[in-house]
Amino acid sequence: MSVHPIPYSDPLTAFAPFAGQDGAVLLDSAATAGGRGRWTYLCLTPQTVHLDPADPFTTLTDALRPLSPAQDAADGLPPFRGGLAGWLSYEAGRHLEALPVPRPDDLGVAETAFGVYPVVAAFDTARQQAMVLGLPGFDAAAAALATRLSAPLAPLPPPATATVPMRAELSRDEAARRIRQVIDYIYAGDIFQANWTQRFLAEGLPAGVTPLDLYRRLRALSPAPFAACLSFGGAHVLSASPERFLRVDPDGRVETRPIKGTRPRGTTPEDDARLAAELCASEKDCAENLMIVDLLRNDLSRVSQVGSVRVPVLNGLESFASVHHLVSVVESRLRPGDSAVSLLRASFPGGSITGAPKIHAMELIHALEPARRGPYCGSVFWMGPDGAFDSSIIIRTLVIGGNGRIAAQAGGGIVADSEPMAEVDEALTKARAMIRAVSGQDTPLPPA
């Protein structure tokens, strides 16, 4: 492979000339919680783009096969050195399990969208170094991109500030009624937990505001270690996700970091510490997290070496710009012959945004949510030919559809002792930064 150092600059500034173009992907470490925010990647000129393949998981394998991994990569290079990048929508799970037919797409967003990027630019935000990397056979393309990114960059102006209203899709009372239905199913013994969510909608971008402007506004309000800005098929995914879905190292080591349990940040240091302590002491939130950890241990065990699945962190506290979360860590090692795609087949969509038992929880989600989720609760990912892989759960995300509509979505895991209105308020806490980025307000308007 070829490595071309380039002058370090703000990755957003370097990305700006490409933003919004079909296949332009920014994988943005906008925060460094737990050391998971070191590298930011620009995937700019895809060799090919795949939209809605008949079998997305087989297509991932097929698209990666022609690419060769580096044989003599030097130390200090980023984990992602070229390969595939894009999104899998929540409904892509229908290719893996017998699930209800998805509801109609009212946004105009590809269910699966990814590009093939033999050349990527990587920005080390910790050491403030940058480079362009080309997989074997793509040295000339890497050199050309390095030349382009080495040219002086004009500073980015502040993002446009115009706003438009966001409306809740459901009233508070209707949202609480549907949450009570989930609780009824739990008491009937059908499920232990389900992740029920609700949407907030705007009818189009504010005048003069680009998708990159909106992403920058969201990023400023809610910096996150798995942030991303992607454009495929006329749609845009603007993500401030704090949650890793799956990571695979080239040697087959696996990590997933499910989030379950949330409190808002406090208005004073004392209030903030009180809310964090309350979350850590909450039997309900800890039990909710444990249920999802058990589900993920089961998913990982389907493709992992016997005895390798372990939980080094259970209910650890992590604090972000607007919320505290309980985050657990589950690790394993893939069996010989299995891969990141095998792991996706065993685990997608993520347990933290479905429920337990997983398939029945997804059936109830389909019955009780009024619209398809689309990219929300799916995954943004990159995948390299050396077996390396990383991915997020698409939460805290704005989706701009091909028809111009903007959607935000939020919810939480519902368990037997959930209080419906408290769950509605928790979803609003999670959605606040997204709603403010679009509308300038902390809360949505009621349904029209």
Side-chain angles (χ1 to χ4, degrees):
M1 71 178 302
S2 59
V3 180
H4 302 267
I6 59 174
Y8 185 83
S9 61
D10 171 38
L12 274 176
T13 303
F15 180 68
F18 304 88
Q21 296 177 9
D22 193 54
V25 172
L26 171 70
L27 304 176
D28 183 17
S29 296
T32 57
R36 291 181 300 285
R38 177 178 173 184
W39 292 99
T40 287
Y41 302 105
L42 277 59
C43 308
L44 302 174
T45 50
Q47 184 183 42
T48 55
V49 169
H50 297 265
L51 295 177
D52 286 336
D55 180 345
F57 299 94
T58 298
T59 304
L60 287 172
T61 300
D62 292 344
L64 197 62
R65 189 175 291 118
L67 301 178
S68 300
Q71 299 301 317
D72 54 353
D75 292 336
L77 296 184
F80 183 41
R81 301 162 187 174
L84 315 181
W87 73 66
L88 290 167
S89 289
Y90 172 85
E91 282 79 17
R94 68 189 175 89
H95 298 280
L96 303 172
E97 304 286 352
L99 294 167
V101 175
R103 296 184 183 280
D105 174 13
D106 62 354
L107 297 176
V109 182
E111 183 181 271
T112 299
F114 69 89
V116 180
Y117 302 91
V119 173
V120 299
F123 291 72
D124 185 339
T125 58
R127 297 182 178 178
Q128 296 208 327
Q129 297 175 347
M131 65 194 80
V132 173
L133 304 105
L135 291 174
F138 294 91
D139 295 358
L145 181 59
T147 298
R148 182 168 182 182
L149 293 180
S150 296
L153 298 172
L156 276 180
T161 58
T163 60
V164 293
M166 289 203 93
R167 290 189 177 274
E169 188 169 36
L170 301 173
S171 69
R172 286 176 58 83
D173 287 344
E174 177 59 18
R177 185 187 72 80
R178 296 189 186 212
I179 291 169
R180 279 192 290 272
Q181 286 185 271
V182 176
I183 296 169
D184 288 343
Y185 282 117
I186 293 170
Y187 276 109
D190 291 325
I191 55 171
F192 301 111
Q193 178 186 150
N195 192 81
W196 186 85
T197 71
Q198 56 183 309
R199 292 198 306 178
F200 310 94
L201 300 167
E203 291 309 311
L205 276 171
V209 175
T210 67
L212 181 64
D213 287 327
L214 195 55
Y215 173 71
R216 292 171 65 199
R217 281 155 45 169
L218 176 63
R219 184 184 192 268
L221 291 164
S222 186
F226 300 102
C229 179
L230 309 90
S231 300
F232 287 101
H236 312 274
V237 170
L238 318 177
S239 184
S241 176
E243 184 170 359
R244 169 172 280 148
F245 178 29
L246 299 165
R247 184 186 72 187
V248 183
D249 292 341
D251 64 359
R253 288 178 295 174
V254 175
E255 179 189 81
T256 182
R257 303 181 64 91
I259 290 176
K260 272 284 167 266
T262 304
R263 291 293 186 280
R265 297 300 301 263
T267 55
T268 66
E270 295 76 15
D271 187 42
D272 194 55
R274 177 188 62 79
L275 288 164
E278 177 187 293
L279 176 61
C280 291
S282 168
E283 292 185 7
K284 169 190 174 293
D285 290 291
C286 290
E288 184 181 334
N289 196 296
L290 178 60
M291 276 190 270
I292 297 307
V293 165
D294 284 342
L295 186 157
L296 286 166
R297 289 173 63 217
N298 180 70
D299 282 353
L300 266 59
S301 69
R302 296 166 65 185
V303 291
S304 297
Q305 296 178 27
V306 174
S308 70
V309 180
R310 54 189 294 268
V311 184
V313 178
L314 181 65
N315 294 328
L317 178 69
E318 292 190 7
S319 299
F320 298 88
S322 58
V323 293
H324 298 291
H325 280 312
L326 292 181
V327 183
S328 293
V329 179
V330 186
E331 297 177 345
S332 71
R333 186 176 290 274
L334 291 177
R335 297 178 308 211
D338 277 302
S339 66
V341 175
S342 305
L343 183 63
L344 275 172
R345 288 183 179 275
S347 308
F348 189 86
S352 66
I353 45 74
T354 51
K358 188 173 184 177
I359 303 307
H360 196 30
M362 293 175 71
E363 292 169 345
L364 295 180
I365 287 167
H366 178 269
L368 294 176
E369 291 184 357
R372 74 160 60 196
R373 288 182 170 182
Y376 175 72
C377 288
S379 184
V380 168
F381 68 91
W382 62 255
M383 182 180 296
D386 59 351
F389 175 79
D390 207 353
S391 59
S392 70
I393 296 284
I394 303 179
I395 55 175
R396 317 296 148 77
T397 295
L398 293 166
V399 176
I400 305 174
N403 60 10
R405 298 184 84 195
I406 305 171
Q409 201 155 343
I414 310 303
V415 293
D417 56 351
S418 290
E419 201 286 308
M421 275 301 178
E423 295 289 349
V424 173
D425 289 338
E426 180 177 312
L428 288 171
T429 294
K430 294 172 179 175
R432 184 173 295 136
M434 298 179 287
I435 294 168
R436 175 167 280 279
V438 175
S439 71
Q441 306 296 317
D442 284 342
T443 55
L445 297 176

